[in-house]
Amino acid sequence: GGGGGGALEWGPTRWLGLELGAHYTRRVVSGPLASQSSFTYAQIPFLIRFWPWKYVNLGVGGYLGYALDSVSTSVAGSASQLSYSALGYNRWDWGAAGAIGFQIPLMRYWFVFIDGRMMYGFHNIEENPVGDSKSSWLEFSAVAGFRVGNF
């Protein structure tokens, strides 16, 4: 997958920050018989960031996601586009989020940051699950960019 986005963080204290973001992401799932499905999502993550050290932070919170477009599928080289409802998937997704972040100072108020993030979906993305069937997302990602501010 891949994606992009941005976030704003408000720090009421030196040790605590509240972050709200908006991301566009592509999730790719590989299956049997050389099959692959690609899902695009808009996500709104919200994190409480703890800054135990000046250049290291830990984040905990949640996210809300909504599936965009249709699902791109490929089986043994044959590609197609299917709607979420045709596949029996719900477009909404929500769950828990966690992060560990590092920042490197460039100059006054400018930093390069690197985050490792995990998102675990609580919502069953199957529209009509059979019995106890449940499908949810577990996503690990690396995020990098620039941070501007007085830290």
Side-chain angles (χ1 to χ4, degrees):
L8 293 173
E9 182 177 338
W10 174 69
T13 72
R14 158 75 182 89
W15 308 103
L16 180 69
L18 305 174
E19 178 183 300
L20 181 65
H23 299 162
Y24 171 85
T25 186
R26 196 180 104 178
R27 296 171 172 169
V28 178
V29 178
S30 297
L33 302 173
S35 67
Q36 193 174 59
S37 297
S38 176
F39 305 80
T40 55
Y41 272 84
Q43 293 178 331
I44 300 173
F46 46 94
L47 294 169
I48 298 172
R49 290 216 181 246
F50 303 98
W51 291 84
W53 302 281
K54 186 171 184 170
Y55 302 117
V56 178
N57 66 76
L58 303 170
V60 63
Y63 74 94
L64 176 65
Y66 185 76
L68 306 170
D69 304 326
S70 55
V71 180
S72 300
T73 62
S74 172
V75 178
S78 176
S80 63
Q81 297 281 326
L82 297 169
S83 69
Y84 282 84
S85 59
L87 291 169
Y89 290 137
N90 186 331
R91 287 183 174 268
W92 289 100
D93 181 30
W94 55 271
I100 182 167
F102 305 93
Q103 66 180 14
I104 302 162
L106 292 177
M107 62 182 119
R108 188 171 184 181
Y109 304 124
W110 284 86
F111 301 86
V112 171
F113 77 88
I114 300 168
D115 268 7
R117 294 190 179 200
M118 182 277 309
M119 294 190 184
Y120 178 76
F122 292 146
H123 186 64
N124 190 349
I125 62 169
E126 294 181 41
E127 273 189 350
N128 300 305
V130 178
D132 291 336
S133 174
K134 182 176 190 264
S135 295
S136 61
W137 292 107
L138 175 60
E139 177 182 321
F140 294 94
S141 60
V143 180
F146 293 101
R147 179 169 292 178
V148 180
N150 187 13
F151 294 95

